């Protein structure tokens, strides 16, 4: 019920969304064991991420996605593009641990490096 309530609140800050997802991931919530309705609510919660998200929060979002085993392809293409675009925005803000967690999580999401935009590729290695 709480996921439903949170997913309906479009006024949540990025920190609140990140904290919620990190908590669910820490509790070992598994996406594939949720009802389809709850899966959609969780994906909607992720779509509430604002552009004011910090590099650390972004890293934690990707880490939470992998811990909960949320398939990257289950996210709307606009959400996927937005999350990847945020990596470019924050490329100079990631601390070592945040950057390494992000790259590790991208791999666990089965994101193919060659499928990323050239700008995003350069943001990861340049």
């Amino acid at each position: 019920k709480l996921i439903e309530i949170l997913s309906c609140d479009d006024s949540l800050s990025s920190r609140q969304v990140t904290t919620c997802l990190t908590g669910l991931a820490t509790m070992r919530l598994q996406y594939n064991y949720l009802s389809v309705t709850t899966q959609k609510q969780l994906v909607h919660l992720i779509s509430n991420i604002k552009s004011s998200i910090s590099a650390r929060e972004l890293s934690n979002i990707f880490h939470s996605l992998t811990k909960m085993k949320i398939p990257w392809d289950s996210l709307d293409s606009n959400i996927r593009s937005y999350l990847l675009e945020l990596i470019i925005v924050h490329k100079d803000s990631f601390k070592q641990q945040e950057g390494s967690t992000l790259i590790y999580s991208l791999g666990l999401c089965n994101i193919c490096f060659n499928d990323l935009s050239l700008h995003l590729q350069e943001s990861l290695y340049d």
Side-chain angles (χ1 to χ4, degrees):
K1 185 71 178 168
L2 188 55
I3 293 173
E4 177 185 352
I5 293 168
L6 292 172
S7 70
C8 292
D9 187 352
D10 291 338
S11 69
L12 290 176
S13 70
S14 295
R15 174 153 300 183
Q16 290 168 318
V17 173
T18 304
T19 300
C20 177
L21 293 175
T22 301
L24 293 171
T26 302
M27 294 187 316
R28 293 179 178 79
L29 179 96
Q30 296 293 301
Y31 182 81
N32 57 333
Y33 293 126
L34 300 173
S35 69
V36 172
T37 300
T38 306
Q39 288 177 351
K40 288 179 181 178
Q41 291 167 343
L42 197 57
V43 169
H44 182 74
L45 182 65
I46 295 166
S47 73
N48 283 334
I49 295 169
K50 311 288 189 280
S51 60
S52 60
I53 191 170
S54 70
R56 180 179 182 183
E57 292 165 341
L58 184 59
S59 175
N60 287 340
I61 289 286
F62 275 95
H63 185 63
S64 295
L65 289 174
T66 60
K67 284 189 77 167
M68 289 187 283
K69 297 182 173 41
I70 298 177
W72 182 246
D73 292 340
S74 73
L75 300 176
D76 179 85
S77 63
N78 290 331
I79 297 171
R80 292 192 312 256
S81 296
Y82 181 62
L83 290 173
L84 293 174
E85 186 67 30
L86 286 171
I87 294 172
I88 296 169
V89 169
H90 291 294
K91 69 179 182 181
D92 296 325
S93 303
F94 289 106
K95 295 180 181 170
Q96 291 176 343
Q97 183 61 47
E98 297 161 356
S100 61
T101 298
L102 175 70
I103 290 171
Y104 179 70
S105 298
L106 289 171
L108 290 178
C109 284
N110 291 319
I111 296 172
C112 180
F113 185 80
N114 293 330
D115 292 340
L116 300 175
S117 71
L118 182 59
H119 194 61
L120 182 54
Q121 288 179 14
E122 290 171 349
S123 295
L124 292 174
Y125 69 78
D126 201 14

